[in-house]
DNA sequence: TTTGAGCCGTGAT
DNA sequence: ATCACGGCTCAAA
């Protein structure tokens, strides 16, 4: 039994940080909720438009009122988080009509454990790849990085709070050039008041 | 501080 | 079923 899922996108320029944010989602009309698919960062608006074109995403102007209001709430929540007004974005999502559908995003036993362990790390705190592995009784610290690399919901799933054992920040947003990703990671930690970020 | 070998789950094929 | 590939670590140089 298939449900036809049409992925829509919504993007905006957040305050505080440089990159644009694009959110892909599908709107569940019957539940009047938004099911998040992915959050990505782009350096420019033209990069986003290119991305939308290539993936043939829907940029409908005729959004349901409810859909529109959830998106606005989401944008506000992210901005509030980036300015330090909202502390915990993951918690905040629970009070909104937003579904994360983590079961579907992290299908393997290992990746689910990684994520479950990760979301216990509070804002302002940090942990390491190897610590996460230890907590789930595994030695696969390298594979922890692989899971986080594929995190489709950065910011909300706080993979930026995971850094290297040696105190360096480690990667962020795999596909982009590393300085850019690392700087963004540092900004996020800083916003949360993490002492690591100085 | 840099290098190199070991590690182990993923995603692509 | 493979297999190459990392958001990593540790030790050695």
């Amino acid at each position: 039994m298939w449900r036809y899922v049409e992925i829509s996108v919504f993007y905006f320029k957040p305050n505080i940080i440089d990159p644009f944010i694009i959110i892909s989602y599908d709107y569940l009309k019957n539940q009047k909720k938004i099911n998040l698919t992915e959050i990505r960062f782009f350096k420019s608006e033209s990069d986003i438009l290119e991305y939308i074109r290539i993936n043939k995403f829907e940029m409908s102007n005729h959004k349901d009122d409810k859909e529109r209001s959830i998106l606005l709430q989401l944008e506000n929540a992210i901005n509030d988080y980036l300015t330090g007004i909202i502390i915990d974005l993951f918690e905040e999502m629970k009070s909104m009509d937003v579904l994360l559908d983590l079961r579907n995003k992290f299908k393997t036993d290992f990746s689910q454990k990684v994520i479950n362990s990760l979301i216990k790390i509070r804002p302002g705190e940090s942990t390491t790849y190897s610590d996460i592995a230890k907590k789930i009784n595994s030695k696969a610290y390298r594979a922890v990085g692989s899971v986080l690399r594929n995190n489709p919901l950065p910011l909300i799933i706080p993979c930026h709070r995971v850094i290297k054992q040696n105190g360096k920040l480690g990667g962020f947003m795999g596909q982009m050039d590393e300085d850019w990703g690392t700087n963004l990671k540092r900004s996020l930690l800083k916003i949360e008041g993490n002492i690591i970020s100085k």
Side-chain angles (χ1 to χ4, degrees):
Chain A
M1 177 66 176
W2 287 86
R3 180 171 71 88
Y4 180 70
V5 176
E6 182 161 324
I7 302 297
S8 310
V9 294
F10 163 74
Y11 71 88
F12 63 98
K13 169 73 177 68
N15 47 28
I16 308 294
I17 62 171
D18 272 349
F20 284 70
I21 290 179
I22 180 165
I23 293 172
S24 35
Y25 66 93
D26 80 288
Y27 179 58
L28 309 174
K29 284 188 172 129
N30 47 343
Q31 297 185 58
K32 297 204 175 294
K33 289 184 180 179
I34 273 177
N35 185 35
L36 251 38
T37 307
E38 190 182 33
I39 294 178
R40 292 173 75 104
F41 300 86
F42 281 94
K43 287 179 183 173
S44 70
E45 186 167 16
S46 59
D47 286 352
I48 287 194
L49 295 174
E50 173 76 356
Y51 172 73
I52 290 173
R53 193 180 59 74
I54 289 172
N55 290 285
K56 300 184 170 60
F57 287 137
E58 185 62 34
M59 272 296 288
S60 165
N61 294 316
H62 313 295
K63 293 187 168 71
D64 187 298
D65 280 350
K66 176 66 175 180
E67 175 181 0
R68 191 188 302 277
S69 96
I70 299 173
L71 290 172
L72 198 59
Q73 264 191 301
L74 192 53
E75 177 177 348
N76 288 335
I78 289 173
N79 273 325
D80 284 352
Y81 165 72
L82 293 174
T83 50
I85 296 171
I86 288 177
I87 303 301
D88 190 332
L89 204 50
F90 182 78
E91 279 302 312
E92 186 68 18
M93 291 303 110
K94 293 179 182 169
S95 67
M96 296 173 44
D97 291 323
V98 170
L99 304 176
L100 306 182
D101 194 19
L102 297 184
R103 300 300 289 191
N104 221 3
K105 292 184 173 65
F106 301 96
K107 294 183 194 296
T108 64
D109 188 52
F110 180 79
S111 62
Q112 283 171 12
K113 284 180 179 164
V114 168
I115 295 309
N116 284 333
S117 176
L118 170 58
I119 61 183
K120 295 193 181 97
I121 310 302
R122 310 311 306 155
E125 294 176 350
S126 67
T127 186
T128 66
Y129 298 94
S130 54
D131 274 349
I132 296 234
K134 256 178 229 158
K135 279 185 196 139
I136 63 177
N137 300 316
S138 166
K139 293 175 190 165
Y141 43 76
R142 183 113 197 230
V144 170
S146 298
V147 171
L148 268 35
R149 180 176 201 280
N150 293 320
N151 174 17
L153 300 177
L155 293 187
I156 296 176
I157 305 294
C159 59
H160 55 279
R161 293 176 199 146
V162 187
I163 65 173
K164 288 195 179 189
Q165 187 76 14
N166 65 8
K168 295 192 173 174
L169 291 195
F172 191 60
M173 313 249 47
Q175 72 277 20
M176 334 199 91
D177 62 277
E178 45 187 3
D179 281 356
W180 199 83
T182 307
N183 286 334
L184 183 52
K185 188 170 185 174
R186 180 176 296 107
S187 304
L188 296 177
L189 290 170
K190 201 173 199 171
I191 284 164
E192 296 183 350
N194 195 305
I195 54 172
I196 295 294
S197 60
K198 67 176 178 308

